[in-house]
Amino acid sequence: MIDNILRFEVIKKLEHANRANISQIDFGAEPRSRKRVYRDVENRLCCSKENLAQGLKHSSNAWLLEQTNRGSLKTGLLYLKEEILCSGSIHNSSTAADAKMSYIYPIHNTTYILGDLIHVRIDLFDGSGNRKLSGGDVLRVWMEDKKTSASVSGVASDHNNGSYSVAFRAVWSGKATIKAFLATRREEIVLLYKLYQKYSSLWSIHAVFKGKNITEKPRCFTRPNTLAQTHWCNLTQENDGFLWYCMKSKNNLTNCDMWVETFSATNIHYKLNNSTENTILSWSATNATPDIFRRTVPVVIKDSKFTSKLTSPPIACNRIAPHLTWQRKAPNGFFYNNKWSSLLCNDTLPRTVDAYRHCLKGRTLWLHGDSTSMQFHRRLRSILNLPSHAGGHTPVTDTDLKHNFSLSWHAHELPFYHGARHYPRSTNQAQHIMMDCLPNTTKDIVVLYMYVHFTLVHPDVFRRHVRRLVPSAKNLLARAPNVTIAVRGPHAYFRPRRGMLSYWGMIYADIWHQEFSSLWDKIIYLDFWDLTMAKPSKDFHPHVNTMKQLVHNMMSLLCFRT
């Protein structure tokens, strides 16, 4: 019975893939052989039976990559759910996956035609050479050609048995090399989930309470931490309605209404259980180079009869329907000659000062968020020759009086890790407050963004903050018909500091999509995951050359939409 059901599901998938294959052939690719098709059927059936035997819940596309129109990839689940990951104990660090011992190899061949799907497989082994038999490790995969400064991201799907299916689109012709990076180990994720559940956050944020001749600096959390304290200041109202609790003075020398400043420490404020946990947490701050696979897969991609690289679709980026930006087709673009080529839409915006000024005339571009939002702000100021008085995390609005536009930056609400410098409470403001204050006549551009600071708390905290944005966005769109709203999604990076994993970006992208599903037809989603997967950044601050591409991609989607 199960065999018949599975065969029916696979046949439906093959019919869908065949329709997509026809469009691929029209694009210049050669048809697949029947032998290869039959082998795909059996492989898919075997995978489905194996996954059912393990009792895993998944969507029908959990590891299968399906072709869709214009040769894009549609992906299933790319990570294991918290309940599956945390069902077992933290393993010994010596049994964790080891990139040096792991394998990456082609599934079919190494010669392709432009537009083809390229399939590779990755099998993970630990440092002793033992095969990994569970999933949950996170891989970052990309294909590059240094000669043409070309790169494109791939999609790795977890089979939960130590093996991963990886797919790429052959987007340029010539030679290319497929590389893989062991971005995050399962042990890291499991440990972080347990620490978030127990302690609320990984790093510590402190409030500064000032009374007469007395200053206290208690730790603060997104929920009362009963392991550390029994008496709390509930400062949720002061944090724009988001849960915020600070430890109350034991000596009653200060009270809760004396909160004036905030700062943070970039270290863990509690003792770990053992040296193994300390070792596991240190992985996220170590040099990434040893976790890049020694083995690579060289491929050759032949020209089609039409072109030597895939071209953008004809629709201009500022004319694309908002809901299409939420569809998450992969890849949504690639680098060629160090320039981002979109596969979502046609970039028609000139990369000139005049074009940017004309776009922003009579408007404020609201770039609230964190220090990566400030990078967008800084890059635009550089392009527009706009001087600034910005300093640190202090809120700033820079105005060009001659050309009549402004750029605004403001740190989002807590949790926000300012570092050692003390900042006034007014430094942080929730983005729904900003939207609620805009007039009905506004023509402004609002880019909503939260991500990096929320990688140090449980994803449920992030969901609460994202969810609160929805009613304010709906209200603003209803009363201000000329406003433009966008959501900037998470970006990928290597390893910046202890505990700050790019892994959470996949989960947070899902949360944005889920919570904003009712607004897909009205709000633009700026999907920068593929771009930053294809052009790796060492830490969560993208490289200046990558920022140039990010900023222009944003402007091409948001300018002149009315």
Side-chain angles (χ1 to χ4, degrees), residues 316-471:
C317 290
N318 64 347
R319 293 290 180 264
I320 191 170
H323 75 273
L324 294 177
T325 64
W326 293 85
Q327 288 191 351
R328 306 172 82 176
K329 292 181 179 179
N332 60 22
F334 61 97
F335 279 97
Y336 196 83
N337 290 330
N338 273 328
K339 182 180 177 182
W340 181 250
S341 299
S342 174
L343 293 176
L344 176 68
C345 55
N346 185 19
D347 174 13
T348 58
L349 181 69
R351 297 176 182 244
T352 64
V353 177
D354 288 342
Y356 282 27
R357 285 174 176 167
H358 185 46
C359 164
L360 296 173
K361 186 176 181 180
R363 291 172 146 183
T364 295
L365 173 56
W366 302 88
L367 292 167
H368 291 196
D370 58 22
S371 56
T372 66
S373 303
M374 176 54 79
Q375 284 185 279
F376 277 76
H377 186 274
R378 191 180 301 119
R379 177 61 194 162
L380 280 166
R381 289 198 330 258
S382 176
I383 295 171
L384 297 164
N385 300 314
L386 181 63
S388 177
H389 54 278
H393 297 162
T394 302
V396 61
T397 297
D398 295 315
T399 301
D400 187 324
L401 295 175
K402 180 179 179 181
H403 299 97
N404 188 25
F405 68 85
S406 298
L407 303 177
S408 177
W409 180 88
H410 207 299
H412 65 64
E413 69 277 8
L414 301 169
F416 192 104
Y417 300 83
H418 286 290
R421 179 176 169 180
H422 292 206
Y423 283 91
R425 277 176 41 191
S426 59
T427 300
N428 296 89
Q429 183 190 72
Q431 293 170 75
H432 74 266
I433 302 293
M434 173 265 292
M435 287 192 287
D436 291 344
C437 291
L438 290 177
N440 296 347
T441 56
T442 184
K443 299 185 295 180
D444 291 352
I445 300 175
V446 176
V447 180
L448 303 173
Y449 172 78
M450 292 181 289
Y451 171 35
V452 174
H453 291 256
F454 288 87
T455 64
L456 296 167
V457 295
H458 193 278
D460 287 347
V461 178
F462 181 76
R463 185 180 293 277
R464 288 199 299 267
H465 287 246
V466 170
R467 181 171 293 170
R468 178 58 186 85
L469 292 171
V470 174

Side-chain angles (χ1 to χ4, degrees), residues 223-242:
R223 69 171 189 270
N225 186 347
T226 55
L227 295 175
Q229 178 93 353
T230 56
H231 300 288
W232 295 87
C233 288
N234 184 346
L235 301 174
T236 298
Q237 183 176 349
E238 289 81 354
N239 191 35
D240 296 333
F242 295 103

Side-chain angles (χ1 to χ4, degrees), residues 20 23-24 27 67-73 115 169 310-314 329 331 342-345:
S23 67
Q24 182 181 338
F27 201 80
Q67 295 173 323
T68 58
N69 61 326
R70 289 194 55 77
S72 295
L73 300 178
R169 178 64 59 192
L310 296 189
T311 57
S312 301
K329 292 181 179 179
S342 174
L343 293 176
L344 176 68
C345 55

Side-chain angles (χ1 to χ4, degrees), residues 147-162:
K147 183 179 179 180
T148 57
S149 298
S151 58
V152 66
S153 65
V155 180
S157 296
D158 190 343
H159 292 269
N160 198 30
N161 61 4

